[in-house]
Amino acid sequence: MLKERIKELRKRKKWTQAELAKRINVSQQTVASWEVGRAEPNSEFLIILANLFDVTLDYLLNGADNSNIPATNKHIETIAAHIDDDVTDDQMDDILNYIDFIKHKHSKKD
């Protein structure tokens, strides 16, 4: 679960909740809320946490066994940073379809 991964990654760095909070400009209470599951970070903070802990969003969210793979694909992070928490499933489908369209369009030119 996300709450356990945030806590585990913070402890690997030997940071307190307050130290993590200061690094990402939130309160210690916010970090504590994430770690006990009272709240979850929004998409902006998920990206910040993944970058800070040098893990993928997939690992952070799903616990995929790839925590040692650096989150280096800046294109994906850029796209994710522009998707609000209130995107509907239909809107997300449209976004993904558009990405496929652009990739297909440009692959035909090559």
Side-chain angles (χ1 to χ4, degrees):
M1 293 179 79
L2 177 61
K3 63 183 185 177
E4 282 99 10
R5 280 184 290 286
I6 293 171
K7 185 174 185 176
E8 171 196 335
L9 291 165
R10 175 181 60 78
K11 286 187 171 193
R12 280 188 199 172
K13 297 276 192 183
K14 296 181 171 58
W15 294 339
T16 64
Q17 289 178 343
E19 288 170 320
L20 173 57
K22 184 175 181 180
R23 289 174 185 272
I24 60 173
N25 201 28
V26 298
S27 69
Q28 181 271 329
Q29 291 82 5
T30 297
V31 173
S33 292
W34 294 343
E35 290 187 0
V36 297
R38 276 194 309 265
E40 290 189 347
N42 65 24
S43 58
E44 176 186 356
F45 281 105
L46 288 171
I47 292 167
I48 290 168
L49 289 168
N51 287 331
L52 183 66
F53 292 130
D54 199 26
V55 296
T56 62
L57 285 170
D58 188 36
Y59 174 76
L60 197 59
L61 293 170
N62 303 314
D65 201 13
N66 60 359
S67 62
N68 59 342
I69 300 172
T72 57
N73 193 333
K74 297 300 179 194
H75 297 296
I76 292 172
E77 293 171 12
T78 300
I79 291 167
H82 290 88
I83 297 175
D84 298 321
D85 290 338
D86 61 350
V87 171
T88 67
D89 288 341
D90 287 340
Q91 290 170 327
M92 183 57 75
D93 287 342
D94 287 346
I95 292 166
L96 295 173
N97 287 334
Y98 184 71
I99 291 169
D100 286 340
F101 166 75
I102 294 298
K103 287 170 53 179
H104 182 71
K105 176 182 165 185
H106 288 279
S107 70
K108 286 187 172 188
K109 289 182 180 180
D110 296 337

